[in-house]
């Protein structure tokens, strides 16, 4: 369960959780086995500080999604100021063996004509950056190497053994894909009953004239970092 010690109030009616960005809503999708969970969750809760948690409950899994403001703590002497920064933490708790789980974070498929989107990954970060005449936006999360490095804490411990597949994708059935360049999809390794996985997604935006790569460095965050800050500021 995400942030179990933080007080919450049930919201009615529930609505599809999303992060509003200058390029449209960043929406989230979960597919368990071959079934996509509905866009509107079974329950949605308000937490202090403008945070929300959405929850889907199925016999084989429970899925939660935290949306929260995020302060990446960038050094103002090095990085230009951000216009906005929001984050999500997605968590799945397997109640039965799961052969296939996918989690996606996506901007609208059709962006404005003057917007350009591209893959912007590196240093254990899976990311895309979108920009137009006035704004740049980076959306990022853990890549395959970071997922293996989080084994035993934010993902199942046995996933550490999958590190060789990160460097040889020829036989791998899991990983991060950004085929349409407007978002990313994480396909997870199989999960056993009782295991859980947490993944972060951070969206940061700033004026396009700022060339300090501040939005890219702002999205370098682990689920533990995001949850700690959310708990401290709730």
């Amino acid at each position: 369960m995400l942030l179990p010690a933080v007080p919450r109030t049930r919201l009615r009616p529930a609505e599809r959780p999303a992060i509003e960005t200058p390029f449209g809503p960043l929406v989230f999708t979960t597919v368990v086995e071959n079934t996509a969970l509905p866009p509107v969750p079974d329950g949605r809760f308000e937490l202090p500080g403008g945070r929300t948690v959405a929850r889907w409950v199925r016999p084989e899994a429970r899925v939660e999604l935290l949306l929260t403001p995020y302060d990446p703590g960038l050094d103002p002497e090095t990085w230009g100021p951000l216009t906005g920064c929001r984050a999500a933490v997605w968590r799945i708790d397997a109640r039965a063996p799961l052969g296939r789980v996918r989690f996606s974070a996506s901007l609208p498929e059709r962006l404005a004509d003057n917007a350009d989107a591209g893959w912007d990954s590196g240093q254990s970060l899976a990311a895309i950056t979108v920009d137009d005449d006035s704004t740049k936006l980076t959306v990022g999360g853990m890549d395959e190497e970071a997922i293996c490095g989080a084994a035993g804490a934010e993902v199942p411990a046995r996933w550490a053994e999958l590190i060789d597949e990160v460097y040889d994708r020829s036989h791998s059935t899991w990983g991060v894909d950004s085929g349409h360049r407007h978002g990313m999809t994480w396909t997870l390794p199989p999960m056993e009953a009782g295991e859980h996985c947490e993944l972060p997604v951070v969206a940061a935006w700033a004026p396009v004239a700022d060339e300090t790569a501040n939005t890219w460095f702002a999205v370098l965050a682990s689920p533990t970092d995001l949850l700690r800050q959310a708990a401290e500021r709730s």
Side-chain angles (χ1 to χ4, degrees):
M1 182 177 180
L2 293 173
L3 300 177
V6 176
R8 62 195 63 204
T9 303
R10 182 179 286 272
L11 295 173
R12 296 184 181 275
E15 60 184 44
R16 182 171 193 170
I19 292 176
E20 295 298 330
T21 82
F23 294 96
L26 182 70
V27 299
F28 306 92
T29 304
T30 301
V31 177
V32 179
E33 300 297 4
N34 294 314
T35 302
L37 299 186
V40 176
D42 299 319
R44 190 163 170 263
F45 305 87
E46 182 179 24
L47 283 61
R51 298 170 177 85
T52 61
V53 170
R55 180 180 297 157
W56 295 258
V57 180
R58 294 294 182 271
E60 67 276 20
R62 181 176 69 180
V63 173
E64 292 184 312
L65 181 70
L66 168 72
L67 300 185
T68 178
Y70 177 55
D71 178 6
L74 298 180
D75 183 351
E77 295 186 1
T78 302
W79 313 107
L82 298 172
T83 308
C85 190
R86 300 278 298 182
V89 177
W90 174 88
R91 176 176 173 126
I92 184 167
D93 288 273
R95 295 175 158 182
L98 300 175
R100 188 171 181 82
V101 175
R102 295 195 304 272
F103 169 61
S104 300
S106 302
L107 294 166
E109 292 186 7
R110 298 189 64 179
L111 300 173
D113 291 340
N114 64 337
D116 182 55
W119 188 233
D120 199 10
S121 297
Q123 299 183 30
S124 298
L125 178 72
I128 61 167
T129 292
V130 185
D131 59 57
D132 62 11
D133 298 336
S134 62
T135 302
K136 60 178 178 178
L137 164 73
T138 301
V139 178
M142 295 161 67
D143 70 0
E144 296 90 347
E145 185 174 7
I147 288 173
C148 290
E154 297 145 342
V155 308
R158 59 190 180 82
W159 288 7
E161 302 172 3
L162 303 176
I163 188 64
D164 289 343
E165 296 185 19
V166 173
Y167 308 110
D168 181 4
R169 309 296 300 166
S170 60
H171 301 292
S172 181
T173 59
W174 67 280
V176 189
D177 176 62
S178 65
H180 51 62
R181 298 187 302 167
H182 297 166
M184 290 167 286
T185 297
W186 288 262
T187 300
L188 303 183
M191 300 181 69
E192 299 295 336
E195 293 181 333
H196 78 273
C197 173
E198 293 175 352
L199 295 176
V201 180
V202 182
W205 55 97
V208 72
D210 188 325
E211 299 181 354
T212 64
N214 51 350
T215 61
W216 195 91
F217 282 91
V219 304
L220 287 165
S222 71
T224 299
D225 295 334
L226 297 174
L227 293 172
R228 181 185 299 113
Q229 186 178 112
E232 290 173 349
R233 302 189 180 187
S234 294

